[in-house]
Amino acid sequence: METWIGLMSGTSMDGIDAVLVSFQGETLCTHATRSSPYPEDLRQRLILASQNQATPDEVGELDTLVGALFADAAEALIRESSADRSSIRAIGSHGQTLRHQPSGPARFSLQIGNPSIVAEKTGVTSVGDFRSRDMAAGGQGAPLVPAFHQHYFGSKTEDRCILNLGGIANITWIPSDPNSSVTGFDTGPANALMDAWCQDQTGRPYDENGQWAQEGIVDQALLSDMLSDAYFERPAPKSTGKEKFNLSWVKTLVQRHEEVRPEDVQRTLLQLSVITIVRQMPQSPAMVVYACGGGTRNQLLMKELAQALSPIRILSTAKLGLDPQWVEPTAFAWLARQTISGLPGNLAEVTGARGPRILGAIYPA
């Protein structure tokens, strides 16, 4: 049986998620999963580099270090699952995004985690650099997971919206009508701003279950200021990241509201995520929302989303057969399969590219 590995680290920069999967027709089977947290000193270096606070030498070094960690994550997954290495067709390695600039005169998306190191250390063909070709074709280079969402989560009887709650939130609208187009885009922050503010104010990397946010109240003036950002009104296709929605963005706005308490800022940031997600969703009362990503573990965020969406239901992608933590790494295993098979991996209507493109570069074992 042919298997594939997917490796992913998102905008939260907290570590590497790895999956070993197989694709048999329309059936997806998850054989093994693993999460490998980044060492804290490396995580801090990555955060600084993502804020343009790193020299070219430091970025090059991080590319090598992260590549080695991605390879180690794949090796540990193979070892712990007792997988037959010869049956693993390829590794799809997204790498770690440092900067994503999808607009301007010289657009780019920079992922580090050298795929040559992954191929060399594992002895398995690897696929990386998934975003560049879409951008070369005029696209945003993101989000790329909607093509996977359409393939495995699409339904002929139910309109579905797949909501990914990573550092950044993105949605994929999959209508049941085969004559209607799939759409998808980044709505704005999900966990990124809450994590950054929590780290800055408490020293904790994230607000577990939204407990700290629950101690605060929404500051309506601050929320209004945040919602005035032009990104939220921009039409799709669009994508964003920590280049825009970061701690500096929060602090600049908080300085205009000097009386607001830290816990109130946290609660307001959570409400910002809820409102911007719900406002940008398709208006379809018959649809069902299926959530995935790390934000699904934030109980307060999920509670507020459920209330804001009511009577529309919000469920976990586990209801569709895939645990919410493993959707994105599985998507990159699937994208590697598309690349190896010579098939497109993007949805041009999502990214804005001039058409379907085969994504990624292949690094032979």
Side-chain angles (χ1 to χ4, degrees), residues 65-304:
L65 292 173
V66 172
L69 288 175
F70 268 68
D72 290 345
E75 276 292 307
L77 182 73
I78 295 168
R79 182 176 64 253
E80 292 168 6
S81 65
S82 300
D84 178 2
R85 193 180 302 263
S86 65
S87 73
I88 303 171
R89 181 65 182 86
I91 297 170
S93 181
H94 172 267
Q96 177 67 65
T97 299
L98 277 192
R99 300 286 290 180
H100 181 67
Q101 297 287 11
S103 59
R107 304 172 311 112
F108 70 91
S109 189
L110 175 61
Q111 284 74 43
I112 62 170
N114 192 335
S116 290
I117 296 174
V118 177
E120 183 66 27
K121 290 190 71 174
T122 62
V124 177
T125 295
S126 298
V127 184
D129 189 24
F130 286 97
R131 302 192 184 277
S132 294
R133 184 59 192 274
D134 183 85
M135 296 190 80
Q140 296 265 316
L144 293 182
V145 290
F148 170 74
H149 291 163
Q150 178 190 33
H151 194 79
Y152 281 97
F153 295 149
S155 168
K156 295 179 180 178
T157 59
E158 181 180 79
D159 291 341
R160 292 176 174 173
C161 183
I162 310 301
L163 170 62
N164 177 47
L165 296 168
I168 299 297
N170 54 66
I171 61 175
T172 305
W173 166 240
I174 313 173
S176 56
D177 181 357
N179 296 315
S180 298
S181 296
V182 173
T183 57
F185 55 91
D186 291 344
T187 61
N191 307 311
L193 298 183
M194 290 187 285
D195 290 351
W197 182 254
C198 186
Q199 176 85 55
D200 184 71
Q201 297 292 309
T202 72
R204 301 191 302 269
Y206 63 94
D207 181 15
E208 187 172 0
N209 288 326
Q211 292 176 354
W212 187 41
Q214 203 149 14
E215 296 175 12
I217 59 173
V218 176
D219 186 289
Q220 293 297 335
L222 176 58
L223 178 61
S224 178
D225 214 356
M226 290 176 171
L227 288 169
S228 69
D229 192 286
Y231 181 83
F232 302 125
E233 300 299 326
R234 188 182 306 166
K238 62 179 181 177
S239 58
T240 190
K242 284 185 174 180
E243 303 76 27
K244 177 169 182 59
F245 294 110
N246 52 40
L247 184 61
S248 295
W249 187 88
V250 177
K251 287 187 171 182
T252 298
L253 294 174
V254 169
Q255 286 172 359
R256 304 176 191 169
H257 306 267
E258 295 180 357
E259 301 303 317
V260 64
R261 301 178 303 167
E263 59 268 36
D264 295 341
V265 175
Q266 187 73 3
R267 184 65 181 80
T268 304
L269 289 171
L270 187 143
Q271 192 66 18
L272 173 71
S273 294
V274 171
I275 290 176
T276 53
I277 289 167
V278 173
R279 281 184 180 177
Q280 295 178 77
M281 277 190 175
Q283 298 303 305
S284 173
M287 75 175 175
V288 178
V289 177
Y290 293 91
C292 58
T296 58
R297 296 194 293 268
N298 185 323
Q299 294 178 9
L300 180 60
L301 177 62
M302 296 305 295
K303 175 185 174 183
E304 292 296 320

Side-chain angles (χ1 to χ4, degrees), residues 38 42 46 61-71 96 112-113:
Y38 282 141
L42 177 65
L46 289 169
E61 184 178 328
L62 287 171
D63 184 44
T64 297
L65 292 173
V66 172
L69 288 175
F70 268 68
Q96 177 67 65
I112 62 170

